[in-house]
Amino acid sequence: MSHYVTIMDIDFLNTTKETFLRAFIQPRLMNEQPCFIVTANPEIVMQTREDPAYKKSVKQADYVVPDGAGILLAAKSMKQPLQERIAGYDVMIDLLRYADKHGLSCYFLGAEETVNKKAVAEVNRNFPNVRVAGRHHGFFDVDDPEVSDAIARSGADLVFVALGLPRQELWIAEHKEMFSKGVFMGVGGSFDVLAGTAKRAPDIWINLNLEWLYRLLKQPFRWKRILKVFEFIIRIVFKRS
């Protein structure tokens, strides 16, 4: 089985979440090696197709993993099936568990100030051995050196970046060379889920790969984003690049 499946010029690591964390990420943490993770859904892949600067940033990632039923469907239609969906929120929670077990430090960048503060409070409550290296809301100029300097000074082992698409990957790619250590990962709206201001789909929806539909029903304003998913599928099925 190939280690990678290429979809619209983006190379997806073909593995399970458990193997990804154990064999690829944990050694980076133990050896204090910098690492950039992208958990890519169809919307992210479509953005890389439409925005060359964003595509460049995603291709700078050390690992791109499949987050979204549409990615798995695309790979299957190409007769190069991916082993499983690796959801960004699940990866974040597993990394927090690992950090809790090993006393690692985390930095939380992004979301509104109240959401960021509440998310960090929940981390302190649920993962008491995690050392919070620092936190900062997401409303800042991406070129502001104060934010990246503060993160570098913090020496964080894990940096969760909740700036949304495409800002989070652009920010990580632009600044990653200044860090000698740290696993960096864009986590989208995950701080809202941590903080309890947004709910994740129930397990039955997730297990049926229908989390996207649950979100649409709960947040109808997301319909334009869902259209991108359908465009992605159509382009894959009908082999239109």
Side-chain angles (χ1 to χ4, degrees), residues 75-192:
K76 190 175 181 181
S77 76
M78 294 162 55
K79 297 190 169 38
Q80 297 179 59
L82 287 157
Q83 292 184 54
E84 67 178 33
R85 178 192 176 201
I86 303 177
Y89 182 80
D90 294 339
V91 171
M92 182 184 73
I93 295 299
D94 283 349
L95 288 173
L96 285 169
R97 287 194 186 111
Y98 184 83
D100 189 52
K101 183 178 179 181
H102 296 276
L104 301 183
S105 61
C106 301
Y107 197 102
F108 300 85
L109 176 64
E112 296 177 358
E113 172 64 17
T114 53
V115 171
N116 183 296
K117 189 174 183 179
K118 192 170 183 184
V120 171
E122 286 300 307
V123 169
N124 283 328
R125 188 168 70 84
N126 294 308
F127 307 99
N129 296 316
V130 167
R131 291 182 289 120
V132 176
R135 65 173 194 86
H136 196 286
H137 61 74
F139 294 87
F140 65 94
D141 188 325
V142 289
D143 296 320
D144 184 351
E146 285 189 24
V147 175
S148 50
D149 287 347
I151 296 172
R153 286 194 305 271
S154 79
D157 298 298
L158 290 148
V159 182
F160 299 112
V161 185
L163 300 178
L165 166 74
R167 202 161 160 245
Q168 58 194 22
E169 285 79 27
L170 288 168
W171 185 89
I172 296 171
E174 186 177 332
H175 295 92
K176 70 187 184 76
E177 294 304 324
M178 69 179 289
F179 301 100
S180 60
K181 62 176 283 194
V183 170
F184 288 75
M185 175 179 158
V187 296
S190 294
F191 289 2
D192 292 275

Side-chain angles (χ1 to χ4, degrees), residues 9-66:
D9 203 30
I10 302 298
D11 297 326
F12 284 86
L13 186 65
N14 190 7
T15 187
T16 63
K17 177 167 68 76
E18 182 184 349
T19 300
F20 174 59
L21 292 166
R22 176 177 44 80
F24 293 89
I25 304 306
Q26 290 173 13
R28 295 261 189 163
L29 286 166
M30 286 188 286
N31 297 321
E32 296 192 343
Q33 295 174 311
C35 180
F36 174 17
I37 303 168
V38 174
T39 61
N41 56 21
E43 191 181 355
I44 283 178
V45 175
M46 289 299 291
Q47 184 76 14
T48 66
R49 183 179 170 276
E50 296 161 6
D51 182 347
Y54 184 68
K55 181 176 182 179
K56 184 179 178 183
S57 72
V58 170
K59 288 181 82 70
Q60 286 182 50
D62 295 284
Y63 307 110
V64 179
V65 294

